[in-house]
Amino acid sequence: MRTPAPTLLAAALLAVLLAACKTELVCATGQAECGGRCVSLALDSANCGACGNACGAGTVCSAGTCSACAATCTSTRGCAGEVCQPDLFVGCPATSELLPRAADLTPAGSGRSVTAGLTALTSADGFLFSASGFPAAAVDIVPMDPAQASRRVALAGSDLEGIAVHGGVTFVSNAATGTLAFLGAGGALLDELPLPGQQSGPNPHGITFVGSKAYVALTGYGPGSGQAIAVVDLAGLSACSAEAAPPACGAGDTCDPGRHCVAGACRLPCASVSGSIDLSGVAGSSDAPGLPFPGRLLSVGTKVYATLANLKIPAGGSFYMEPAGSGRLAVVDTAAGDAVSIVDLGASCGNPGNLALQGTTLWVSCGSFGYSAAWPGRLVPVSIAGAPAVGSAVSTGDVLPNGISICGGRAYLGDMASGKVLPFDLAARAAGTAVEVCPLNAPPGPPDFGYAYVADVACAP
Amino acid sequence: MSEELVVEGKRAPRPRDPTAAATVIPAERHAGEAKDVAALLATAPGVAVQEYGGLGQLATVSIRGSLASGVLVLLDGIPLQASGGAGGDLASIPRHWISRVEVLRGAEGAYYGSGALAGVVDVVTARPAAGGWRAELSGGSFATWSAGASGAAAAGPWSLFAAASADGTGGRFPYDFDPDPSAGAGGTRTEQRRHNAALRGGLLVKADRPAYGGQLDLLLQLSAGHRQLAGSPYHLTPLDWQDDGRLLLAARLEVPDLLPGLDGGARLHAQADQLDLRLDPALTARQRGAAAGGELTLSWAHAPGRLRGALAASGERLAGDALEGGHSRAALSAALSGELSLGRVRLAPAVRLDAVGPFRGLSAKVGASVALAPWLGLRLSGGRAFRAPSFAELYLRQGLIDPNPALQSEVSLSADAALVAEGAPGLLRLGGFGQRYQELILYQRASFDRLKAFNAGRAAVGGLEVEAASAPLRRLLSATFSASYTWLATRNLRGTGAEVGNDLPFRARHRLYLRAGVAPGPAELHAEVHVVGRQYRDLANTAVVPAATIWNAGGSVRLWQRPALRLHLEVKNLLDDRTASDPLGNPLPSRMVMVTLRAGSSPEGAP
């Protein structure tokens, strides 16, 4: 006997399917139906912000609007409006500009001009602060927003060697005058502090902070100058920086007791020198006939770490330029009366330049520009979880690091011999591929006239 | 016309360049005022003297906005060897020798060869008549002293002249030290400049006699100096010093009328110089230089003028620790110049070919003077000059400095014109000039911590030069007045966008020198002021060096008529400005009082 069951079942299934096709499209959260498809109106360049709103050439859809910035900005911080938010800035002295870069070192906006002779760079509170020296010292305060104008603050002399921001105040090491300058918000000069041995050439460089004290590396120029760390008491910093409208100086630059005349205003003193930590007499700080030459400082907890270049005068030379031996790290225990201990950074590290912290590891950049064959580029890890322990040095290849900056967990090393920046994977302890960032300066001139190097790298504030 | 007016306007006898923009500064006019070469030069228009610390320290000269290397400094017509380090240092020339300083402004390469980009300074030594003598003794502030004596005699056919001099200073002067210079207000304290002493001595011997119908001149100059190098107030260098020394020998034979109207001349010269520089704790530089050369000249006087030809050959050598051994090179030159008088117009064309080692250069100049009236003249000139790179620029490797063997010669082009009015009321010169410098050798940053010499500079300079002298009350008080003023507009033509079009650094737009004096009877009084306008420290023109004014005053009284004996009192920096500093920030001396006793036969050495 034949039954109709299979035929009926097929017909029923067909009817169900047909019915299903007529059902409205259900899209995931954040998507919308456009032309029968589920799309992201925030990101779909054919339906940007609304179905059918296609973005033009050179733009992509970002946050529901067609953006030219988003089409080019590779920064992990994306665009704010139509402005790419770089991950870091590279200081290029040859062209006197700060170049914004994404984490992968691709361009992330237009360069920002600064004063000629760029030496140091830092960032804080939405601003970049660059120190420039020769031939005329100045600090440029550069807002992150390129639509806002930068401010330039001229200082005496022609050699600025360090800059740092603390408590809303910018600290500047003026090597030409042996002073520490204090700039308030907006760039007003709040105070200028003569450093120990001012007339012998203390040559201040790196600056760091522990509690209410600043520590300033006094690099010096040779025997009898520098070779120390100045201790600066910042007890007056809050009061001096808080004054919005200090009284004007009187005739003959006179002020009431407790104040002194600074750039036409009677200001409260920001700081005073409370001591100086001599390094030349510390055993192991250098190899005779070398001298320590402290350079950059970094504080971790109550300890201050200072790189010691350990330099000597080369045969037939006149300046302390050649590494006398391996670089050193001076550790100042501020909780123990500024007691100093010395860490040898190992035979691979000559002329240590700068240092940065990741977790409990200090990373120290090493390498000598004039003696790169004997002292090539290296990165040396120093564990400070307990007593400092120096790890194996890692080669930086052709790059002679002029410092190290850690941005977003990734290290960047600017080259003192070219315009390259070397990304460095700290976890893998491996160098990436160096990227040419700073261009040669190329004004019309002789055929071989032109140079490039990287002065400093600063993480975006 | 006053005596001052005469000497101000007088030209050197038979100058090489008859239409040059020239100023002659007779040392006798400032006798007893303790003025060295730099101080004498500072009274001329178009000239800027840079004293790096003063009181016997390095002093250089710039003409019409040039670098110091663009001015050829001569001693009795012989180029001082700048390659050796001391040549361009005006302070290395003992002041007691000086008879006059001749300043020629403009591209003078056609007459003087390589190096005369912007002009020439020729320090001419004294040449008194037989029997003449003089002596001078000075002492004053900061343990500064000076002694000099000279005498001339005849011995058979020879006329002999010898001069010896010694100068010294303790160099300790008070100055205002600013511990917080960025603050820009008050808070200075008085410091004493230390380790700033200088000592210099010299010997000059001249002899001449008739020879071959003309005259033979022999010359020996010996000088040596030691100076402590104090360093910047913010980086004192209490152990640094410098020694320098120079030996110069020259012989010159001038024979007139070799043929009718044809004069001949020959000159031989040789010199050796040394420079030792110690920067604690290492000896930085030990340089030894030597040069020798000869020149033959023929001068033909013809009806409308004169034609002069010269052939010269020389060699120089410089050796030193920082020069990777020694370097030598030979130089050859051929020059032709003429003077042509056409009524009221006098033309002076000149051309010169130089080969300095591998560097070749063509220099040329055309000058003209027009007598517009008996009391008024017009002078015009235009020229081209070059400067071959020095040994230091080519080979010296020292500290952060790298040489550049690939350098080319610097080149300058200049044009100027001046009206000269001269008559009973006095003298007035009013001129304008334009000058272009190309391929200037500058030390530029070449890498992270190296500076290297490059042909990186190019600049245009223009300006006005005014020079005046008068004796308006001569009959009353023997009053005299003189002045020079320079307006200098410089324009940098190469660099970054922020630098092109700006003023050149350390080139003040305005420079003024005024002097007034009276001489009632046996006494004499004078006052002078130097005003240097605002200038910039950098090519970007962001750092300003403020204007400065320095007053000097002095006087003298005759104590005895024959032999002449005169006592001088000179006060420099009368208002005691203790903030003055040089381009490197080194303080310059505060108020300084010098007392000088001068004695001499007449006329040489007469007060």
Side-chain angles (χ1 to χ4, degrees), chain B residues 455-517:
Chain B
N455 289 104
R458 183 179 295 168
V461 180
L464 294 174
E465 292 162 347
V466 183
E467 193 173 5
S470 182
L473 300 173
R474 184 166 182 257
R475 290 176 188 276
L476 184 61
L477 287 170
S478 293
T480 57
F481 168 82
S482 62
S484 67
Y485 169 74
T486 308
W487 177 69
L488 185 73
T490 61
R491 184 177 169 84
N492 176 47
L493 299 178
R494 184 182 274 176
T496 65
E499 296 169 342
V500 171
N502 291 349
D503 287 5
L504 297 176
F506 297 110
R507 301 293 184 274
R509 288 208 166 199
H510 304 280
R511 226 169 246 278
L512 175 66
Y513 166 74
L514 295 173
R515 179 186 172 100

Side-chain angles (χ1 to χ4, degrees), chain B residues 209-218 250-256 258 263-268 295-297:
Chain B
R209 61 164 292 170
Y212 305 104
Q215 180 165 298
L216 174 67
D217 291 281
L218 303 177
R252 185 174 59 192
L253 177 65
E254 300 280 353
V255 182
L258 285 171
D263 299 340
R267 190 180 69 177
L268 295 171
E295 184 182 43
L296 292 172
T297 58

Side-chain angles (χ1 to χ4, degrees), chain A residues 144-189:
Chain A
M144 277 291 290
D145 181 357
Q148 295 182 34
S150 300
R151 286 202 63 171
R152 180 180 181 279
V153 183
L155 297 176
S158 57
D159 188 10
L160 303 183
E161 290 291 348
I163 190 164
V165 178
H166 176 75
V169 174
T170 306
F171 293 65
V172 186
S173 289
N174 192 331
T177 60
T179 59
L180 188 64
F182 304 81
L183 307 182
L189 181 64

Side-chain angles (χ1 to χ4, degrees), chain A residues 248-260:
Chain A
C249 301
D253 298 327
T254 54
C255 292
D256 291 340
R259 293 176 177 271
H260 59 212

Side-chain angles (χ1 to χ4, degrees), chain A residues 24-25 27 31-39 51:
Chain A
E24 285 191 359
L25 191 60
C27 295
Q31 292 192 324
E33 180 197 346
C34 291
R37 291 191 304 117
C38 289
V39 297
C51 289

Side-chain angles (χ1 to χ4, degrees), chain A residues 135-136 152 155-156 176-177 179 189 192 194 198-201 221 253 261 263 313 318-319 321 369 416 444 446 448-449 451 453, chain B residues 175 177 179-183 185-186 191 233-236 281 284 399 444-450 454-455 494 538 542-543:
Chain A
R152 180 180 181 279
L155 297 176
T177 60
T179 59
L189 181 64
E192 186 179 22
Q198 183 184 23
Q199 291 196 272
S200 65
Y221 298 99
D253 298 327
C261 190
I313 298 173
S318 55
F319 295 94
M321 298 175 71
F369 180 78
M416 61 177 105
D448 59 342
F449 183 47
Y451 70 99
Y453 71 92
Chain B
Y175 67 98
F177 175 76
D180 49 358
S182 293
E191 287 279 342
Y234 300 100
H235 180 197
L236 299 172
T284 300
Q444 302 282 293
R445 183 179 280 276
S447 63
F448 170 66
D449 68 350
R450 309 296 295 173
F454 288 103
N455 289 104
R494 184 182 274 176
D538 58 335
T542 55

Side-chain angles (χ1 to χ4, degrees), chain B residues 290-317:
Chain B
E295 184 182 43
L296 292 172
T297 58
L298 286 174
S299 181
W300 175 45
H302 49 83
R306 179 175 289 273
L307 184 66
R308 181 179 184 271
L311 290 172
S314 63
E316 62 175 334
R317 175 175 175 78

